[in-house]
């Protein structure tokens, strides 16, 4: 950078006065109300208060468990205390899987313990565990290509080469060992499978995550090793001697239990105007306290709505949804769609990609709202957010609604470090950067302000009414 | 840095020719043989081969266990295969403590699991655990000042404010909760104690480490919480409601077992010349694979000796000692002193502070060897190593010998990140930077070359003897 700067300074000094760069015409002004709300949101404390409270006073919130139920109670109290209207829980039933013991060892040729965690919906070993030869594959495609005889009666290990990406796209590409591996291994007659965690950090904290066995496939134990353990296994396998693993993994399905979505509103001046939906998910994996996945998301969405509510009455109703049971299969998103999918929405959005800064805005608001979409891009630019697509919106729990064609906005967070923490014991409050969290709140507040249809300031309060 | 560079450039350009800075007289030349060995060592592969092999093929090596015995066997094979002379094990007996189950939960007011690990020599809970009120202290001095009634029948939590230091000195200052806390809590009638890990990282990997109860004090369970968990407990305590903890921790003492030191030599041309001793420790804590503590140390010491041996015959014998049972109480260092403390040493040294670069050299070689000590400083300077004290030497296993007044050298490693990993599950091979490891080998090779009394090159081999 130093050399580059020096070169730039020398070039600047040497440049003739004639060679002025072309300057784009100035953008149309963003309404002062939006700018004020954006600036004020950079001092936000509401979001920190929510994520700190939820992760401290509830902690881990596995879908369908009593911990998630406590989280709903906590949420109702919190949203009411913030002054939102129509705060309620909409329950639904779901199948629940819970973790048991999980331990692993290499027993030969170099006996030593490993760290392992069960993937969601994993089958179980007997309580005393299983021991078998370990057979390794560098990719899921190698496993697919392997003859059944190479796998039958063994424990399968699958690696991969996931790297960091700002947009998280490597999760899709390299998530196959977790999502597909267990069914493929089971079909070939494997006793169990362990995969290299779908993650990017080198800590002894494995990454769990949901998978489901294909129709008719026998359930086998399916676990994830942290990267240090996965690479240790690879080094051991490369020695070329037969490798044996012992695995104890005793998760179980506990049947149908209740989960639910928590809903709250900022009532709009026009109840018939298509509304804005902002969301995150309340449940978390059980290993951490769900600070970045997705305590930060519910906090950001609610804090932005709160800031609009404090400023005045928006034309459109803003609905906050804290979805239940996202991690284990989008049960909350699907329940919401069944109950509210036919309502009129001006835009729907979800924050569920950590707590790092928003770097890009995508939207799909329709041709008729293109001016508003462009205004949104301009209004977000001072936060360091670049304009993205005008024909795209994403979000986990809202994906069923987006698939129905509903309009949406995505405030894309930087995911470079997300998969260091995602679904691990390390997803704890200390990982949330308060400054980045405020930038998120500012982005969401700006988005709501631009799309609100206008915010009518509250009448000035008289002193001592 | 950019601004500073620019300022420097401008100053340089503007400086009048008269204002030449005073230049120190050039240092006396370092012997070309030393420079060649130093340069060649920056390509070293011996150290990586040792630390990779030991951590992969043995893994964790808790003192006195069969894993440490396997490590000794591995070491003898490795040191013989490298061509060292007089490779042997010197055994000694020691009391052995092993880890059991370890689990913790906050049970009220916000039920949730915590991560905990037992400190070495911790007492045990019953198998079903204990549950009691948790009382928190921000410092060990607060615990000391507390009346017994505030502690009796409770579980004690002690925090601290350890920060990073390049020289690791914060470990001494802030290690008191681990070293002193258990005895103090027990004397006051506490049921158990958990301390904030003596570490600097925010991962869910607790830091173990040895402690010992004072004479006559009842053993109580003593554990460490990772920083995210310790801060979670502090947040919960700050809510002001009574907090209860459940703790299951079942380590046990398994009686007297055998440990041992592994010794190897590069025989010197003059068997009567005081020798050089280079060392590290072979045992590790059980949570990680002991890559930085102290696989790297034994690797660095042996790789440097190997490079000297490959270059020729030193005047002085170089003795390599891979100590056993350092972590749990310097048993190996004390046994070595008892057996070999009266021999003549020109210098003794140990590498046991991780695998980051050497940044400073201290020595205590005596007034009569001051010229050699200064030559050592000059010879190390090109590796980015600054001169330190000429009257100081340190080292864990060699501290009994240093206390006897033996001469020593300390090649101080950068400890800024050491306590992110030290005594945690995260102490694994992936944490070793091969480039930094080579710089260490170059520093140790240089040290041995300078202090060797001169290396006589091997006679040129005739082809096809």
């Amino acid at each position: 950078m130093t050399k580059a700067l020096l070169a730039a300074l020398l070039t600047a000094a040497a440049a003739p006065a004639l060679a002025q760069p072309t300057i784009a015409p100035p953008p149309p002004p963003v309404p002062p109300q939006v700018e004020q709300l954006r600036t004020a949101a950079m001092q936000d404390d509401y979001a920190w208060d929510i994520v700190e409270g939820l992760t401290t006073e509830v902690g881990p919130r596995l879908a369908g468990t009593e911990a998630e139920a406590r989280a709903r109670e906590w949420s109702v109290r919190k949203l009411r205390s913030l002054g939102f209207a129509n705060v309620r829980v909409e329950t639904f039933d779901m199948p629940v899987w819970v973790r048991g013991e999980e331990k692993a060892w290499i027993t030969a040729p170099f006996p030593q313990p490993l760290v392992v965690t069960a993937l969601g919906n994993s089958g179980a070993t007997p309580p005393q565990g299983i021991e078998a030869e370990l057979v390794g594959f560098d990719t899921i495609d190698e496993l697919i290509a392997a003859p059944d005889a190479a796998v039958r009666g063994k424990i399968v290990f699958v690696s991969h080469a996931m790297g960091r990406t700002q947009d998280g796209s490597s999760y899709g590409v390299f998530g196959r060992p977790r999502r597909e591996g267990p069914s493929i291994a089971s079909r070939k007659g494997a006793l169990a499978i362990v995969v290299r965690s779908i993650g990017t950090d080198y800590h002894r904290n494995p990454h769990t995550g949901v998978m489901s066995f294909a129709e008719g496939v026998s359930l086998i134990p399916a676990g994830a090793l942290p990267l240090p353990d996965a690479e240790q296994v690879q080094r051991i396998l490369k020695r070329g001697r037969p490798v044996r693993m012992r695995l104890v993994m005793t998760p179980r399905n506990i049947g149908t239990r209740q989960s639910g979505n928590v809903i709250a509103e900022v009532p709009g001046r026009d109840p018939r105007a298509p509304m804005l939906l902002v969301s995150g998910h309340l449940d978390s994996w059980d290993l951490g306290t769900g600070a970045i996945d997705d305590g930060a998301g519910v906090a950001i969405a609610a804090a932005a709505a709160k800031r609009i509510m404090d400023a005045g009455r928006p034309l459109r109703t803003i609905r906050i949804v804290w979805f239940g049971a996202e991690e284990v299969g989008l049960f909350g998103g699907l329940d919401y769609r069944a109950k509210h999918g036919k309502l009129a929405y001006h835009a729907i959005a979800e924050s569920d990609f950590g707590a790092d800064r928003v770097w890009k805005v995508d939207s799909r608001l329709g041709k008729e709202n293109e001016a508003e979409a462009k205004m949104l891009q301009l209004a977000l630019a001072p936060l360091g957010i670049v304009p993205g697509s005008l024909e795209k919106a994403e979000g986990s729990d809202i994906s069923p609604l987006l698939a129905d064609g509903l309009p949406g906005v995505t405030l894309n967070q930087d995911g470079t470090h997300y998969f260091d923490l995602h679904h691990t014991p390390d997803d704890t409050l200390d990982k949330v950067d308060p400054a980045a969290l405020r930038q998120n709140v500012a982005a969401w507040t700006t988005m709501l302000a631009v799309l609100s249809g206008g915010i009518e300031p509250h009448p000035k309060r008289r002193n001592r009414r």
Side-chain angles (χ1 to χ4, degrees), chain A residues 135 168 184 187 227 417 462:
Chain A
V135 53
I184 296 165
R187 279 208 192 90
L227 270 55
H417 303 286
R462 292 186 197 149

Side-chain angles (χ1 to χ4, degrees), chain A residues 81-93:
Chain A
S81 77
L82 287 168
F84 291 111
N86 306 327
V87 179
R88 76 267 193 194
V89 175
E90 291 184 351
T91 61
F92 51 86
D93 287 342

Side-chain angles (χ1 to χ4, degrees), chain A residues 9-324:
Chain A
L9 286 168
L10 294 172
T11 308
L18 293 175
Q20 294 293 343
T22 309
I23 290 171
V30 171
Q33 187 186 44
V34 173
E35 295 195 327
Q36 285 156 15
L37 281 162
R38 185 184 65 213
T39 302
M42 289 301 289
Q43 307 299 321
D44 180 74
D45 285 327
Y46 291 127
W48 181 264
D49 179 59
I50 292 169
V51 67
E52 193 269 356
L54 179 63
T55 57
T56 302
E57 298 179 8
V58 181
R61 312 173 287 285
L62 186 66
T65 66
E66 68 73 44
E68 198 200 21
R70 276 189 285 119
R72 286 192 294 279
E73 291 165 19
W74 185 95
S75 301
V76 167
R77 282 198 307 275
K78 172 60 71 176
L79 291 164
R80 284 194 180 135
S81 77
L82 287 168
F84 291 111
N86 306 327
V87 179
R88 76 267 193 194
V89 175
E90 291 184 351
T91 61
F92 51 86
D93 287 342
M94 56 168 290
V96 177
W97 171 97
V98 294
R99 195 173 301 283
E101 289 293 310
E102 33 198 36
K103 293 178 177 171
W105 297 262
I106 296 295
T107 53
F110 309 127
Q112 54 190 282
L114 298 174
V115 175
V116 71
T117 200
L119 298 172
N121 295 322
S122 166
T125 67
Q128 73 280 14
I130 57 172
E131 193 192 346
E133 191 183 335
L134 185 74
V135 53
F137 301 95
D138 284 344
T139 65
I140 188 74
D141 290 320
E142 273 190 24
L143 171 62
I144 292 169
D148 292 4
V151 169
R152 193 175 301 123
K154 297 179 183 172
I155 299 174
V156 164
F157 166 71
V158 182
S159 191
H160 58 81
M162 178 173 170
R164 298 173 186 284
T165 46
Q166 181 166 329
D167 66 356
S169 53
S170 56
Y171 184 55
V173 179
F174 291 101
R176 292 177 60 209
R178 186 185 97 198
R179 295 190 302 265
E180 302 173 27
S183 290
I184 296 165
S186 178
R187 279 208 192 90
K188 289 179 186 281
L191 292 187
I193 180 172
V194 290
V195 304
R196 177 179 164 123
S197 282
I198 313 305
T200 47
D201 66 294
Y202 277 81
H203 300 289
R204 303 290 294 283
N205 294 315
H207 296 235
T208 189
V210 78
M211 59 97 197
S212 52
F213 286 97
E215 195 71 23
V217 166
S218 313
L219 269 59
I220 58 172
L225 304 177
L227 270 55
D229 299 72
E231 295 189 359
Q232 179 83 333
V233 165
Q234 283 187 302
R235 281 189 294 270
I236 291 171
L237 285 165
K238 272 189 191 144
R239 258 65 175 177
R241 293 164 60 180
V243 176
R244 294 184 68 80
M245 174 178 273
R246 183 174 166 227
L247 192 64
V248 176
M249 207 182 272
T250 58
R252 61 207 166 94
N253 296 301
I254 57 170
T256 300
R257 301 288 163 98
Q258 199 171 67
S259 180
N261 296 325
V262 180
I263 302 178
E265 282 165 6
V266 181
R269 299 195 307 278
D270 180 358
R272 286 163 312 173
M275 68 179 159
L276 302 174
L277 184 154
V278 293
S279 64
H281 65 84
L282 187 59
D283 68 307
S284 76
W285 276 106
D286 52 344
L287 300 176
T289 62
I292 68 145
D293 189 11
D294 187 27
V298 299
I300 291 161
K306 168 68 174 162
R307 301 193 73 85
I308 301 294
M309 183 169 68
D310 286 352
R313 286 194 75 192
L315 181 77
R316 303 182 186 284
T317 291
I318 300 169
R319 178 176 282 187
I320 301 159
V321 185
W322 290 0
F323 291 101

